[in-house]
Amino acid sequence: MSLHDHACLESVDGQAVTLLGARLTGELRGLLFEARVEQRFANPVDEHLEVVYRFPLPWGAVLLGVEVELGGKRLTGAVVARAQAEADYEEALSEGDAAIMLEKNHDDSYCLNLGNLAPRESCTITLRYAQVLQFEQGALRLLIPTTIAPRYEGGPHDSGLAAHQRMMPSVTAQHALELELTVHGSLAQARVASPSHPISVAPAGQGGDATLHVALARQGWLDRDFVLVLDQLAQAGVAVAGPDFAQSGRAAVLASFCPRLADRAPRDVAVKLLVDCSGSMGGDSIDAARRALQAIVLQLRGDDRFCLSRFGSRVEYRTRALWKLTDATRIAAQRWVGALEADLGGTEMQQALASTLALAHDRRSDLLLVTDGQVGSIDAVIQAAQGSGHRVFVVGIGASVAQEHLRRLAQATGGACDFVAPGEAVEPAVLRMFARLRSPRLVDVRLQWPSAAAPDWQTALPPALFDGDAVNVFAGFAEVPQGEASLWGRIEDAGGAGPELELGRAMLDGRTDAPGALSRMAAAARIAETAGSDAAADAASAGVRLAVDYQLVTDGTNFLLVHERAAAQRATQMPVLHQERPMLAAGWGGAGSVRFSRLDFTAQAGAALSVPSVWRASRSSAAGDDIAIPAFLTAHVQGAAAFEPPRRPAKPRVDRNDPRLWTRNDFYTGWTPLGLTEWLRINPESAWPATYAGLRQMGLGLDVVEWVELVLAPQAWPGAAEQDVVRHFLAWMNGVEMRTALSANPPGGNGGAWGRLPMPAGMAAADIAAAEWFADL
């Protein structure tokens, strides 16, 4: 079968269930983005089905409505309390009626339950949602997720999903995506680009009536985030108002600001770099991570300090403490970054974050995390980060980043997030992140409304924010206010907060440019705030009442629609469960490249992918991922042992199980000084290595080799060629004085022993450098 055939799933008897595709249309007014997503389903089999489909919405998006067309009929439902919705849904299925329930999951994804879809019946479900975008260092970034990549879970119920909601993506499915967006008002004058998809852009109108029409330039698929970037914005403050959905005659207002400070001297940073090297980062993602980290290393300057760690199923540290930036440490960091691979298994983010935060540091430091965020739950990670005194900044990389997890982590610690799509330049994201790291925080933030306007309620302001980032505030009024709203705050520095400064302005002109969606967004923000209050039970009850009043799908409410069928059309048996598996995220885990278009598949390529040409055998020993050779291809010669060449006597070996000679831990693996002298003693000089690479191959740890090249050589043998440096170093280690000193008082059995070598008198400077270089071991 060609991979061009329609995407399908097979049921237990080999029949198919199909998600035919999706169409998204959207309107962007100010910072408010409203979208309609049409999902088309069909049941081509001869039995009633219960189709379960899990899908993402953007971070902070609020689901506003669900419209259903079932069997040619338009149907409406309502938002009710979750417990009631679940009971009514199951009752409808048991009575043979059709039912549709939409629920929000613990991980902020959504699950559609389409029950009793009749044989040969089609169903179109249209979702309406809205989202408030965020200024990101003076630009806007619209990210629309289309699929959920596989996520690593540390336990059987890490994500909080029920068994029927857990579904692995399909590598053969092809769900088509159509997309059209309209940008209104002043934003239509911005520069627009998409790093994720080829787009067409068509302007129309002028002035306040200007619009910009954006559409996909070629076929799209539900296999990657759609990203639209708008920069060169003309304003740093935007206000939009709309009528209240539940209270007639009243209005809701959204005021958004992007504070910009005058140029200030950049601060030095102390940052712990932690990069995700789990299997999900394979391919495009680890390539982008290497580029991001190289850009980060180049951004370090002055008295900056940093340390390097990577994680997957375990954590590996390049440094135990913060390195001071020098030419030597920069080169060492660049080499470490260049060698990164996605080879560390699962994504044990909680352990990695906790242990990296605990690394020694002599000043207040931040943590910069580079990851795709593919974990089942972020709650335990947030708990590990909070209270550590570190802000967590995140660069999210991949075609389907778990942005809801990463934004929650950054916000909970006072940090910030930035995202990089495959193929997108990483340098701008890194520059934006370092602008935040070097910028002082803005504290004591307050919002001043026009003098004649007093809000009935207002969502909370952030306790602190960064220069160039967004602050969004919802408020409710008896009528739309007129005049300017202004944002004020103080700059935090070592001496405390400075004088109050005006950070931005937004004009309110009394018009209601946005429909009732704005007040429902405001209600969702109020529900989110009450969810974090101390009176949990009362807050949950109040949140459910508010969600029902404003018809919002939340943690406590579901959308429910029950379609009572005629007696002759009712199902006589309970429906068969079918999980509609999403497309695998493009490039996930190294499964191809995002730049490889699905349109390039041919029937021959599909056949080649469908039938593997080499099978790998499972091994009980640690033989690695080698290819097993079938027995009939191996030679069996009678008396083969008689033709074996004589074996040479075994070479003497240094015992690597002796901790005085060889050490292995999270920070260093290789010979100790005493172990190296033993190796040199039993091996002839002709077998000694002559290059830095040779030193690594014979068992010296990376730290030691880089110390020899970057620290010891310039001070002890300035100007010497690589071969001469290696020869001098090994001769010095094999000298009588070194042997005598190490044998009489061997340094401890760990890598740190290299920092306490008995240096010759003429190498006192190298002794000091060694102690500093290896202080982290």
Side-chain angles (χ1 to χ4, degrees):
M1 181 186 74
S2 167
L3 292 182
H4 286 295
D5 292 349
H6 68 295
C8 63
L9 285 177
E10 289 190 349
S11 62
V12 291
D13 58 356
Q15 294 179 304
V17 176
T18 305
L19 169 62
L20 300 178
R23 173 181 172 80
L24 185 146
T25 57
E27 308 281 334
L28 181 58
R29 293 180 175 89
L31 297 192
L32 182 64
F33 176 65
E34 295 183 73
R36 293 173 59 91
V37 183
E38 180 184 281
Q39 299 171 337
R40 302 182 301 278
F41 296 89
N43 177 9
V45 301
D46 296 325
E47 54 192 347
H48 284 76
L49 300 173
E50 181 184 15
V51 180
V52 179
Y53 178 54
R54 178 168 162 248
F55 61 92
L57 287 184
W59 160 257
V62 176
L63 188 63
L64 299 177
V66 183
E67 301 167 5
V68 178
E69 183 176 328
L70 179 65
K73 298 180 180 179
R74 291 190 176 275
L75 307 173
T76 58
V79 172
V80 298
R82 179 178 288 248
Q84 178 187 341
E86 292 173 346
D88 291 351
Y89 175 81
E90 295 296 338
E91 181 179 353
L93 264 58
S94 66
E95 294 180 353
D97 292 323
I100 295 172
M101 184 173 68
L102 187 67
E103 55 190 326
K104 184 179 181 182
N105 300 321
H106 178 69
D107 65 351
D108 290 332
S109 65
Y110 288 78
C111 190
L112 175 67
N113 303 269
L114 175 53
N116 272 333
L117 186 63
R120 316 302 168 186
E121 190 172 43
S122 62
C123 181
T124 299
I125 297 178
T126 302
L127 310 175
R128 294 188 296 110
Y129 72 82
Q131 175 192 16
V132 178
L133 301 187
Q134 300 280 331
F135 283 114
E136 293 184 355
Q137 300 294 297
L140 286 178
R141 184 183 181 90
L142 172 65
L143 189 152
I144 301 174
T146 64
T147 189
I148 301 174
R151 295 179 178 178
Y152 176 81
E153 298 194 12
H157 304 292
D158 190 11
S159 64
L161 296 174
H164 69 282
Q165 297 172 336
R166 298 168 182 267
M167 53 196 74
M168 290 298 294
S170 168
V171 297
T172 58
Q174 290 195 91
H175 300 154
L177 169 67
E178 301 174 60
L179 184 143
E180 294 183 4
L181 306 176
T182 303
V183 181
H184 295 267
S186 60
L187 290 181
Q189 308 302 320
R191 184 174 62 178
V192 176
S194 173
S196 61
H197 293 73
I199 59 173
S200 62
V201 180
Q206 294 180 350
D209 296 326
T211 61
L212 202 64
H213 183 75
V214 179
L216 295 181
R218 65 171 185 238
Q219 176 67 66
W221 306 95
L222 298 178
D223 69 341
R224 70 195 70 190
D225 298 339
F226 172 82
V227 179
L228 188 72
V229 178
L230 298 90
D231 61 2
Q232 297 184 357
L233 303 179
Q235 74 279 23
V238 176
V240 61
D244 194 283
F245 176 83
Q247 301 182 52
S248 178
R250 305 192 69 82
V253 173
L254 168 64
S256 303
F257 302 90
C258 181
R260 301 314 303 260
L261 300 178
D263 292 339
R264 298 175 61 88
R267 303 189 307 173
D268 296 329
V269 300
V271 59
K272 298 176 179 180
L273 302 176
L274 177 64
V275 57
D276 184 350
C277 287
S278 62
S280 66
M281 288 284 290
D284 290 331
S285 294
I286 196 65
D287 289 342
R290 282 193 290 261
R291 295 197 306 273
L293 286 163
Q294 293 288 13
I296 288 169
V297 172
L298 291 176
Q299 283 297 308
L300 295 170
R301 61 193 181 198
D303 290 329
D304 291 345
R305 290 182 176 268
F306 67 99
C307 66
L308 307 166
S309 306
R310 73 184 194 118
F311 76 96
S313 297
R314 64 181 188 278
V315 189
E316 292 183 354
Y317 309 95
R318 179 63 181 88
T319 60
R320 178 179 290 180
L322 295 175
W323 268 351
K324 181 180 179 181
L325 180 67
T326 64
D327 290 341
T329 56
R330 190 193 297 276
I331 292 173
Q334 290 172 327
R335 287 181 177 171
W336 180 82
V337 170
L340 290 175
E341 296 292 345
D343 56 0
L344 290 184
T347 313
E348 292 283 359
M349 189 180 292
Q350 178 186 355
Q351 172 194 353
L353 209 69
S355 60
T356 304
L357 292 172
L359 292 178
H361 54 93
D362 58 359
R363 63 172 76 177
R364 177 175 177 175
S365 57
D366 297 312
L367 186 140
L368 180 52
L369 173 65
V370 180
T371 181
D372 58 7
Q374 302 301 349
V375 292
S377 173
I378 200 69
D379 295 339
V381 180
I382 292 175
Q383 291 177 4
Q386 287 180 317
S388 68
H390 295 70
R391 299 176 301 175
V392 178
F393 294 82
V394 184
V395 177
I397 288 178
S400 180
V401 180
Q403 60 166 330
E404 68 281 358
H405 287 344
L406 301 182
R407 287 194 183 275
R408 283 184 58 202
L409 173 61
Q411 287 186 359
T413 59
C417 266
D418 226 312
F419 297 93
V420 179
E424 185 177 7
V426 300
E427 289 78 8
V430 171
L431 289 172
R432 291 192 296 267
M433 197 60 70
F434 264 84
R436 298 181 181 105
L437 282 164
R438 297 192 186 281
S439 168
R441 295 200 311 168
L442 299 168
V443 297
D444 298 335
V445 183
R446 69 178 181 90
L447 178 58
Q448 181 174 309
W449 296 101
S451 56
D456 299 329
W457 54 264
Q458 173 184 310
T459 55
L461 286 158
L465 59 142
F466 298 99
D467 177 28
D469 279 350
V471 55
N472 297 313
V473 181
F474 289 100
F477 293 86
E479 59 183 15
V480 181
Q482 296 191 49
E484 278 190 331
S486 55
L487 187 71
W488 297 77
R490 303 176 189 273
I491 297 175
E492 182 185 50
D493 53 32
E500 190 173 49
L501 303 174
E502 185 178 274
L503 305 176
R505 296 183 180 185
M507 176 60 69
L508 295 157
D509 58 8
R511 295 184 304 168
T512 55
D513 296 328
L518 183 63
S519 66
R520 300 175 71 189
M521 294 287 294
R526 295 166 66 189
I527 293 171
E529 287 188 352
T530 59
S533 65
D534 295 333
D538 292 342
S541 178
V544 169
R545 289 195 301 270
L546 198 58
V548 172
D549 288 344
Y550 284 85
Q551 287 293 283
L552 302 172
V553 175
T554 66
D555 294 336
T557 56
N558 290 356
F559 169 85
L560 177 67
L561 183 155
V562 175
H563 174 51
E564 295 184 4
R565 297 187 187 273
Q569 296 177 333
R570 289 180 176 171
T572 57
Q573 297 180 344
M574 292 299 289
V576 176
L577 176 67
H578 285 280
Q579 295 175 317
E580 187 65 29
R581 294 165 62 192
M583 294 180 67
L584 181 66
W588 180 88
S593 171
V594 176
R595 294 180 292 275
F596 185 79
S597 170
R598 288 180 174 270
L599 301 179
D600 294 335
F601 276 111
T602 63
Q604 291 80 4
L609 287 174
S610 300
V611 183
S613 57
V614 176
W615 291 91
R616 299 184 185 273
S618 59
R619 300 293 184 88
S620 58
S621 62
D625 194 22
D626 56 334
I627 300 175
I629 301 176
F632 69 88
L633 293 179
T634 59
H636 295 275
V637 182
Q638 295 292 334
F643 297 94
E644 292 181 0
R647 296 181 178 179
R648 296 180 179 178
K651 292 183 179 180
R653 296 182 179 273
V654 181
D655 183 8
R656 295 195 178 190
N657 294 320
D658 187 339
R660 298 174 305 158
L661 308 178
W662 180 273
T663 186
R664 178 188 298 274
N665 55 48
D666 290 337
F667 303 96
Y668 178 84
T669 297
W671 296 119
T672 65
L674 185 60
L676 177 58
T677 59
E678 282 298 296
W679 189 94
L680 295 172
R681 182 181 64 83
I682 65 176
N683 285 275
E685 191 171 346
S686 59
W688 292 3
T691 63
Y692 299 131
L695 292 177
R696 289 284 289 126
Q697 292 170 2
M698 59 89 71
L700 275 185
L702 177 61
D703 301 79
V704 176
V705 176
E706 288 186 342
W707 169 65
V708 172
E709 177 186 2
L710 303 175
V711 178
L712 185 61
Q715 298 182 42
W717 309 291
E722 176 180 348
Q723 184 173 354
D724 294 332
V725 170
V726 173
R727 178 169 54 82
H728 289 320
F729 168 68
L730 295 179
W732 168 55
M733 290 298 302
N734 193 46
V736 175
E737 292 183 3
M738 181 69 72
R739 287 180 177 280
T740 302
L742 291 177
S743 299
N745 185 23
N750 57 57
W754 286 99
R756 300 188 297 276
L757 290 178
M759 300 285 183
M763 294 173 62
D767 189 8
I768 296 173
E772 180 175 345
W773 185 264
F774 295 110
D776 59 305
L777 288 177

